[in-house]
Amino acid sequence: QKNSNGKYTVSFIEGDGIGVEISDAVKQIYAAADVPIEWESCDVTPLFINGKTTLPQQAVDSINKNLVALKGPLATPVGKGHQSLNLTLRRTFNLFANVRPCKSIQGYKTPYENVDTVLIRENTEGEYSGIEHTIVPGVVQSIKLITKVASERCIRYAFEYARSVGRKEVLVVHKASIMKLSDGLFVKTAEELASEYPEIKLSFELLDNTSLKLCTDPSDYKSLVMVMPNLYGDIMSDLSSGLIGGLGLTPSGNMGDKVSIFEAVHGSAPDIAGKNLANPTALLLSSCMMLRHMSLNSYADKIENSVLKTIASGPEHRTKDLKGTSSTSNFTEQVIKNL
Ligand code: ATP
Ligand code: MG
């Protein structure tokens, strides 16, 4: 819904590390492109209430009100015993499916041309359920939780997504040959849903086989939508990113019933933070997914075309991760020129 200034208010979690720099790039480019969006900055520095990682109420209220958020990477402090903030966000807003498209960038050469994959990752449970304990010293147990409810809403989303973008096949990636009950339930749930989508072919592939095939010839995955449990999605989406030029390029959307949060696939990249080296493309393309979700397609096209044109225009306008010599701010200026 538009606000009193005739614009849409969107929550913006700028994030940690390179998050600050790439969020700044997005803001500059949006202002230059006259996108009818007002950003509402959200501080998500976590509170610890009864030992639980909790988001500040102000941030929760902002996102629940605006329904759409853009998010930079959040660092999770290692070894402090609390839950990742990314996980907390996904749980708080019930963001059950994570959509990760990966498309070759024309003009940036990688070993494969015409990569065009879509991966949907179950986003709330599986290996990320966070249930781990020591049984006796030297023996630990980590529980992979799979429920029919979470599997169904994620796989249903994959079918709906395939239908909406005109892809004719949903491919379930799994390891039910070993994890007979857990991955078995994921597979069985997909089989049960298939009859509701008669025009879409449902197929299955073992995770190891998909890994082999995806990096042998990614063109086999062009006309389908992959869907898989949480950890497999995490790993396979990094693999997919590698096929098109790395983490600096790949966007994602965390989809829920009500709220959606769009974010780059990469982390806070502490190794290059504060050095004006980060590539803002992944966050920019995530923001374009967001614009299309909001039916602001013409702005999405305008920004996406300008980003792609800038990358294709040569190494002097590309950031270091793409073998270029440009800083974050030079890249941003060039995108603005190309709008
Ligand atoms: P985190 O713990 O927050 O996930 P990380 O150490 O795993 O951080 P990632 O952000 O996942 O780091 O990045 C992995 C590698 O990719 C790093 O070397 C980083 O510099 C690089 N990288 C990630 N994102 C970008 C980007 N947007 N631009 C340039 N390089 C990037
Ligand atoms: Mg990482």
Side-chain angles (χ1 to χ4, degrees):
Q1 228 174 353
K2 284 186 179 166
N3 64 23
S4 52
N5 298 330
K7 296 187 176 180
Y8 299 92
T9 312
V10 170
S11 305
F12 202 157
I13 302 166
E14 282 88 349
D16 305 318
I18 59 168
V20 184
E21 297 154 83
I22 60 177
S23 296
D24 195 50
V26 170
K27 286 179 192 167
Q28 287 182 40
I29 292 164
Y30 271 54
D34 270 326
V35 183
I37 280 183
E38 266 169 25
W39 302 111
E40 193 165 274
S41 188
C42 278
D43 177 13
V44 291
T45 309
L47 308 165
F48 298 99
I49 299 172
N50 300 328
K52 257 189 89 182
T53 311
T54 311
L55 295 169
Q57 196 55 41
Q58 210 179 359
V60 175
D61 291 344
S62 163
I63 295 169
N64 272 326
K65 169 175 65 77
N66 298 326
L67 305 180
V68 177
L70 185 65
K71 172 186 163 298
L74 293 170
T76 296
V78 180
K80 289 204 185 150
H82 42 70
Q83 206 182 41
S84 129
L85 248 185
N86 293 314
L87 270 177
T88 307
L89 271 167
R90 288 170 195 169
R91 295 244 170 82
T92 305
F93 298 103
N94 196 16
L95 305 171
F96 54 81
N98 191 326
V99 185
R100 298 181 163 191
C102 231
K103 206 168 172 197
S104 289
I105 297 206
Q106 303 310 319
Y108 182 67
K109 215 175 149 25
T110 54
Y112 298 102
E113 277 162 38
N114 303 318
V115 176
D116 187 4
T117 59
V118 176
L119 184 156
I120 295 178
R121 166 184 180 186
E122 197 289 317
N123 218 12
T124 61
E125 55 175 26
E127 305 80 354
Y128 285 64
S129 42
I131 312 165
E132 283 194 311
H133 41 252
T134 301
I135 296 180
V136 293
V139 182
V140 296
Q141 189 175 42
S142 175
I143 292 178
K144 164 169 167 169
L145 193 86
I146 300 265
T147 66
K148 188 166 173 119
V149 170
S151 303
E152 181 174 330
R153 64 190 175 185
C154 175
I155 296 164
R156 185 179 290 287
Y157 186 85
F159 274 112
E160 293 288 341
Y161 186 92
R163 188 179 261 176
S164 74
V165 300
R167 292 193 176 219
K168 301 275 175 257
E169 183 178 343
V170 166
L171 176 70
V172 177
V173 177
H174 67 95
K175 194 75 188 178
S177 52
I178 303 298
M179 272 152 287
K180 293 193 165 63
L181 280 180
S182 54
D183 284 16
L185 179 59
F186 198 80
V187 162
K188 192 162 154 264
T189 306
E191 282 167 343
E192 287 172 12
L193 283 176
S195 64
E196 294 180 41
Y197 301 89
E199 81 281 18
I200 294 168
K201 183 181 162 196
L202 176 66
S203 49
F204 300 91
E205 200 166 78
L206 289 169
L207 174 68
D208 44 348
N209 195 224
T210 308
S211 310
L212 175 70
K213 286 175 62 187
L214 194 58
C215 68
T216 305
D217 185 3
S219 68
D220 288 345
Y221 295 82
K222 271 182 95 158
S223 53
L224 52 79
V225 171
M226 290 179 264
V227 62
M228 61 197 84
N230 209 336
L231 179 65
Y232 308 159
D234 178 44
I235 297 168
M236 297 305 283
S237 74
D238 270 27
L239 192 155
S240 310
S241 286
L243 296 174
I244 66 158
L247 289 175
L249 296 176
T250 40
S252 84
N254 293 287
M255 317 306 290
D257 294 321
K258 196 176 140 216
V259 164
S260 318
I261 302 184
F262 297 84
E263 64 175 335
V265 171
H266 62 72
S268 60
D271 52 334
I272 57 163
K275 295 182 179 161
N276 201 16
L277 289 174
N279 185 354
T281 300
L283 189 62
L284 280 164
L285 295 181
S286 305
S287 80
C288 292
M289 283 177 79
M290 178 192 88
L291 290 173
R292 294 195 174 100
H293 176 76
M294 298 168 73
S295 300
L296 294 170
N297 297 43
S298 64
Y299 294 97
D301 293 345
K302 184 170 161 182
I303 291 168
E304 187 172 299
N305 290 336
S306 172
V307 168
L308 299 182
K309 187 174 167 191
T310 304
I311 294 173
S313 67
E316 68 274 24
H317 296 135
R318 280 184 210 137
T319 45
K320 206 172 156 204
D321 56 311
L322 301 180
K323 304 188 183 75
T325 53
S326 179
S327 62
T328 310
S329 40
N330 282 332
F331 177 82
T332 307
E333 270 170 41
Q334 201 57 38
V335 172
I336 290 173
K337 277 190 198 147
N338 286 335
L339 277 170

